[in-house]
Amino acid sequence: GVAPFHTIALHGLVRDRFGKKMSKSRGNTVDPIEFMDKYGSDALRFTLARGANPGTDQAIAEEWIGGSRNFATKLWNASRFAIMNGANVDGELAAFDSLNAIDQWILTRLDETLESVDQLLEKFEFAKACEIIYHFAWDDLCDWYLELSKATFAAGGESAEKSKRVLGQVLDQLLRLMHPMMPFITEELWCSFTGGETLVTAAWPKSNPGNRSDASKLIVEQLQDLTTEIRRFRNDQGIKTSAKIGANFIGLDSLSEYEAAIRFVCRIDPIAGSSSA
């Protein structure tokens, strides 16, 4: 006697990659079952959600679903890395002010992402919400935070323990946020990571504006700019990305605390008999 759904959202017509209506006479129809068998249900689901703008039709192409499969693989690998390196959800997070700028930055970006996605989902802006989640997970978490934090994990100590808990928090909240769009992989990862019974009944993540720092965003932006310039220089000189080189830094100033992170990401060893400043 209880309605299973309170709100139903209807999406537009799904067209082919060129925006043409699918029809047997054109030979441009697709079989979603084949896509699910080849790329997984989550990949197809995320692709459709990422193209669902209110009041408009959407196109679909096989390579886009393949891209979503790659995104799922990226998330899987990042989660396995986090688990192997001791990320956890045990106990409370350390006080925000006691964290290093890299940890503060990822928590800031997480909070901004949660707030934006919440607002967009309330307006049924599924495509924009998925885009924000995609770039937070791929760019902020995988490409930058995990790389910049590897030196901290390797060094061990109190700072590493704090960072492991921060990574656990970010992964926990991200998987909850992604669950409606990619329910199967997030369920598997979340249960394995947290030991929880099921993500289906887990609480929806909430933003906390108190966990934000504009100063940390500036520091990480500088780290990103410096890393990008070093990588560009290496490329211009024909140095393989996997090759380690010797170099010392001069004038790091506010970034001196994060020299180990820069060296780890850029594969730079210090030159003996000289000092960085």
Side-chain angles (χ1 to χ4, degrees), residues 10-24:
L10 302 178
H11 61 75
L13 187 67
V14 179
R15 298 176 178 268
D16 72 8
R17 60 179 302 164
F18 303 108
K20 300 291 186 180
K21 186 176 180 180
M22 294 185 193
S23 68
K24 291 183 179 179

Side-chain angles (χ1 to χ4, degrees), residues 144-191:
W144 285 110
Y145 179 73
L146 291 183
E147 293 302 313
L148 290 171
S149 296
K150 284 180 179 178
T152 301
F153 294 147
E158 182 181 356
S159 182
E161 294 306 313
K162 290 181 180 180
S163 294
K164 291 174 184 178
R165 181 63 184 86
V166 168
L167 177 54
Q169 177 74 7
V170 173
L171 189 59
D172 173 34
Q173 298 295 289
L174 175 61
L175 292 173
R176 294 173 191 244
L177 191 66
M178 291 182 60
H179 187 61
M181 296 81 172
M182 304 183 84
F184 299 106
I185 188 173
T186 54
E187 174 78 8
E188 177 67 23
L189 290 174
W190 188 83
C191 290

Side-chain angles (χ1 to χ4, degrees), residues 56-211:
T56 62
D57 293 342
Q58 67 180 103
I60 192 169
E62 183 171 356
E63 57 263 38
W64 303 346
I65 303 171
S68 295
R69 189 268 313 276
N70 294 340
F71 176 53
T73 301
K74 187 86 167 179
L75 181 66
W76 180 273
N77 290 337
S79 299
R80 303 314 298 177
F81 170 85
I83 292 172
M84 288 188 297
N85 282 272
N88 61 83
V89 292
D90 302 330
E92 296 294 326
L93 282 170
F96 188 78
D97 292 340
S98 73
L99 301 174
N100 64 48
I102 297 172
D103 286 340
Q104 288 185 353
W105 169 76
I106 195 63
L107 289 176
T108 298
R109 288 294 300 119
L110 171 65
D111 198 73
E112 292 172 344
T113 299
L114 293 177
E115 182 178 56
S116 297
V117 170
D118 259 350
Q119 293 173 352
L120 291 168
L121 291 181
E122 288 291 334
K123 297 184 291 185
F124 304 101
E125 295 275 5
F126 303 121
K128 292 180 180 179
C130 287
E131 199 68 19
I132 288 175
I133 292 172
Y134 177 91
H135 287 292
F136 171 76
W138 192 297
D139 301 338
D140 295 337
L141 177 59
C142 296
D143 284 356
W144 285 110
Y145 179 73
L146 291 183
E147 293 302 313
L148 290 171
S149 296
K150 284 180 179 178
T152 301
F153 294 147
E158 182 181 356
S159 182
E161 294 306 313
K162 290 181 180 180
S163 294
K164 291 174 184 178
R165 181 63 184 86
V166 168
L167 177 54
Q169 177 74 7
V170 173
L171 189 59
D172 173 34
Q173 298 295 289
L174 175 61
L175 292 173
R176 294 173 191 244
L177 191 66
M178 291 182 60
H179 187 61
M181 296 81 172
M182 304 183 84
F184 299 106
I185 188 173
T186 54
E187 174 78 8
E188 177 67 23
L189 290 174
W190 188 83
C191 290
S192 297
F193 176 58
T194 67
E197 184 176 348
T198 176
L199 186 48
V200 174
T201 57
W204 183 252
K206 296 182 179 180
S207 64
N208 179 11
N211 283 349

